[in-house]
């Protein structure tokens, strides 16, 4: 039985853009500058104020309507204001909203569904711990889980990785400027190389071999420097690092190293999971099952703050209260997350994401064949990155900024990523239609031509 409307039935007509930013957006942004935190960042890049959204479209307070190829940093996998999810949200909010960790039908339903979609031998053998509302909270829980089960205190993470903004998660994050003002953080976190063949100027096999050699040395070399390792944390596809898709053999190799050294392998699937790559979890592309998965973003259905750490039942050694958090009972978010799973399954959105992702990457690759500024196109499903370089082959963040600006002015919202801001990152909702993708790609192609030195 199909649940909820087809994906083309809850969308605005888009793009439809006049002058941006409009006067109402300008006024709200100015007011925000006066009273909000100086840490606010996103309106600095795209100056607009949102009014409402439907599906893969969003409208600002001035009536401009955009194709949303950003989806709140990958939060809105089933689209803005998905009617099937909202129906359950309205029903739930009329009855009960917050329960800490007392049992509710919504909580148990979501746990059951997460166990069903968990990869490999986690399916049917997993436990779920809910913590705070963000991905950082899920990673903090995973750090505690690893330490509690191993007795170790050292952690291995990867260059280019992003895991959050709280103290432990920030320790795993590799961006120096992001965390330099807040040190000292957790001691004994070592960052190994992540295979990035394009930027490392290596063939994929060499990039993988070199990365795994370093990880093995950190763990096994008597002079490797990490005295008491507790676990390995990795994004199966790096997001903020530039949508870096590791070559085959990397995750498999990490699994082997973790097993041989009795270390938990934790996959951060906060951005790459919940259907984003055309499979429930990016790790499924590699047939590698971690010991634990961290999830947030799209887990809350249509934007409700909810995070979870899904882990093998053998690691469920916590005592009652061993991990806590006030918002681990967000019943509305749990109901929304369960409905989102049902909608994705009912409308076969995993297959849709794989098919549409292939179309988008193929189109971008064709552009790159005649425009050397677009040097690399990569991704899985609707998790897509396009890397731009200047004439010397150096990262060109200015070009990507110009592309983002052009797209904004013409009705498509896109974002950036990468160490140098030179990755065009596309994270559209899984409910993006083929027609919307074609319209958006035409604008993106025009933006690339207008913003780079096109050699065609």
């Amino acid at each position: 039985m199909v649940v909820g409307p087809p994906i083309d039935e809850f969308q605005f007509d888009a793009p439809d853009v006049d002058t941006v930013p409009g006067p109402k957006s300008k006024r709200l942004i100015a007011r925000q500058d006066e009273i909000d935190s100086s840490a606010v960042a996103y309106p600095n890049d795209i100056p607009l104020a949102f009014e409402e959204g439907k599906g893969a479209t969003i409208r600002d307070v001035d009536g401009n309507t955009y194709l949303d190829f950003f989806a709140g940093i990958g939060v809105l996998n089933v689209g803005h204001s998905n009617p099937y999810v909202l129906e359950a949200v309205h029903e739930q909010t009329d009855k009960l909203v917050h329960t800490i960790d007392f049992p509710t039908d919504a909580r148990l339903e979501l746990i059951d569904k997460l166990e069903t979609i968990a990869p490999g031998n986690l399916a049917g053998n997993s436990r779920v711990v809910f913590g705070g509302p963000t991905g950082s909270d899920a990673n903090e829980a995973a750090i505690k889980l690893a330490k509690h089960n191993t007795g170790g205190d050292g952690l291995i993470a990867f260059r280019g990785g992003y895991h959050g903004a709280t103290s432990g998660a920030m320790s795993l994050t590799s961006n120096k400027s992001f965390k330099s003002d807040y040190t000292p953080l957790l001691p004994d976190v070592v960052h190994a190389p992540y295979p990035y063949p394009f930027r490392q100027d290596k063939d994929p096999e060499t990039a993988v071999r070199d990365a795994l050699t370093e990880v093995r040395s950190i763990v096994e070399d008597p002079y490797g420097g990490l005295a008491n390792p507790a676990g390995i944390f990795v994004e199966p596809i790096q997001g903020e690092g530039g949508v870096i898709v590791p070559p085959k053999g990397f995750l498999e190799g990490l699994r082997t190293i973790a097993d041989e050294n009795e270390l938990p392998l934790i996959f951060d699937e906060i951005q790459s999971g919940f259907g984003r790559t055309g499979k429930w979890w990016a790790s499924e592309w590699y047939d590698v099952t971690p010991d634990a998965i961290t999830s947030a973003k799209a887990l809350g259905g249509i934007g409700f703050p909810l995070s979870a750490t899904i882990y093998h039942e053998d690691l469920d050694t916590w005592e009652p209260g061993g991990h806590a958090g006030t918002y681990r009972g967000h019943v509305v978010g749990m109901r929304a997350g369960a409905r989102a799973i049902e909608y994705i399954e009912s409308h076969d959105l995993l297959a849709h994401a794989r098919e549409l992702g292939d179309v988008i990457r193929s189109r971008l690759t064709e552009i790159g064949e005649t425009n050397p500024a677009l040097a690399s196109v990569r991704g899985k499903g609707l998790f897509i990155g396009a890397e731009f370089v200047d004439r010397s082959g150096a990262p060109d963040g200015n070009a990507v900024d110009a592309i983002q600006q052009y797209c904004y002015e013409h009705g498509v919202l896109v974002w950036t990523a990468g160490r140098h801001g030179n990755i065009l990152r596309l994270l559209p909702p899984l409910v993006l239609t083929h027609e919307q993708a074609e319209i958006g790609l035409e604008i993106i192609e025009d933006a690339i031509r207008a913003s780079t030195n096109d050699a065609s």
Side-chain angles (χ1 to χ4, degrees), residues 138-429:
N139 282 326
E140 296 287 350
I143 290 170
K144 291 171 63 177
L145 184 75
K147 290 185 173 184
H148 189 268
N149 277 276
T150 64
D153 52 32
L155 301 169
I156 299 168
F158 291 86
R159 296 169 200 161
Y162 178 83
H163 300 280
T166 52
S167 182
M170 194 186 301
S171 302
L172 297 173
T173 295
S174 66
N175 187 332
K176 295 178 184 178
S177 63
F178 182 72
K179 60 186 184 180
S180 61
D181 289 338
Y182 310 106
T183 55
L185 299 170
L186 292 184
D188 277 346
V189 176
V190 178
H191 289 86
Y194 194 94
Y196 186 176
F198 175 78
R199 186 51 55 196
Q200 293 165 343
D201 195 24
K202 296 179 180 179
D203 64 85
E205 184 176 342
T206 300
V208 168
R209 184 181 64 245
D210 290 352
L212 293 176
T213 297
E214 182 66 19
V215 174
R216 188 174 289 279
S217 294
I218 292 168
V219 176
E220 299 177 359
D221 186 340
Y223 282 74
L226 191 63
N228 299 298
I232 301 172
F233 282 75
V234 66
E235 295 168 275
I237 297 176
Q238 287 191 340
E240 299 296 322
V243 193
I244 310 302
V245 181
K248 185 171 177 55
F250 176 62
L251 297 181
E252 297 92 328
L254 291 182
R255 179 72 274 174
T256 297
I257 293 170
D259 288 342
E260 291 176 354
N261 292 275
E262 298 183 341
L263 294 174
L265 178 62
I266 296 104
F267 284 175
D268 179 336
E269 294 249 23
I270 290 161
Q271 191 166 149
S272 63
F274 217 76
R276 168 57 51 194
T277 69
K279 294 183 182 288
W280 280 116
W281 310 102
S283 61
E284 294 180 89
W285 284 101
Y286 300 91
D287 196 24
V288 177
T289 305
D291 299 294
I293 295 172
T294 56
S295 179
K297 290 192 183 293
L299 178 65
I302 52 171
F304 285 100
L306 185 65
S307 74
T309 303
I310 307 163
Y311 57 94
H312 196 278
E313 60 187 4
D314 289 349
L315 298 177
D316 195 37
T317 58
W318 276 325
E319 68 284 353
H323 185 66
T326 300
Y327 287 100
R328 63 192 188 276
H330 192 331
V331 190
V332 180
M334 292 170 177
R335 185 70 78 190
R339 278 289 182 104
I341 291 172
E342 292 173 2
Y343 189 85
I344 289 170
E345 291 178 330
S346 178
H347 293 266
D348 202 12
L349 292 188
L350 299 182
H352 177 70
R354 293 194 297 271
E355 178 189 359
L356 197 55
D358 287 343
V359 169
I360 294 173
R361 285 190 301 277
S362 294
R363 178 76 169 273
L364 292 172
T365 299
E366 289 176 3
I367 297 170
E369 288 173 353
T370 60
N371 186 343
L374 204 179
S376 175
V377 177
R378 51 187 177 253
K380 298 285 189 183
L382 291 174
F383 193 19
I384 299 166
E387 181 154 359
F388 288 82
V389 298
D390 62 19
R391 289 186 179 274
S392 70
D396 194 348
N398 290 333
V400 176
D401 287 342
I403 292 167
Q404 182 185 53
Q405 180 67 22
Y406 183 102
C407 287
Y408 158 59
E409 292 172 356
H410 291 79
V412 179
L413 302 183
V414 299
W415 217 260
T416 65
R419 291 170 168 86
H420 309 285
N422 67 314
I423 313 299
L424 177 67
R425 178 172 38 160
L426 305 181
L427 300 170

Side-chain angles (χ1 to χ4, degrees), residues 69 364 407 412 414 424 426 440-448:
F69 277 42
L364 292 172
C407 287
V412 179
V414 299
L424 177 67
L426 305 181
L441 282 168
E442 289 178 6
I443 293 171
I444 291 170
E445 181 172 4
D446 290 343
I448 293 171

Side-chain angles (χ1 to χ4, degrees), residues 39-95:
V40 168
Y42 289 99
N44 296 336
D45 294 307
I46 298 181
L48 58 80
F50 294 130
E51 176 77 11
E52 57 182 330
K54 286 186 178 181
T57 60
I58 194 163
R59 183 168 289 163
D60 71 14
V61 292
D62 295 286
N64 297 302
T65 310
Y66 307 82
L67 289 173
D68 186 359
F69 277 42
F70 178 50
I73 328 180
V75 166
L76 299 158
N77 284 11
V78 296
H80 295 271
S81 304
N82 184 297
Y84 182 67
V85 180
L86 281 179
E87 177 186 48
V89 166
H90 294 317
E91 292 173 356
Q92 186 62 57
T93 53
D94 286 341
K95 296 191 298 182

Side-chain angles (χ1 to χ4, degrees), residues 26 37 110 125 165 200 416 436:
K26 287 181 179 179
S37 168
L110 181 56
N125 300 292
Q200 293 165 343
T416 65
Q436 289 172 327

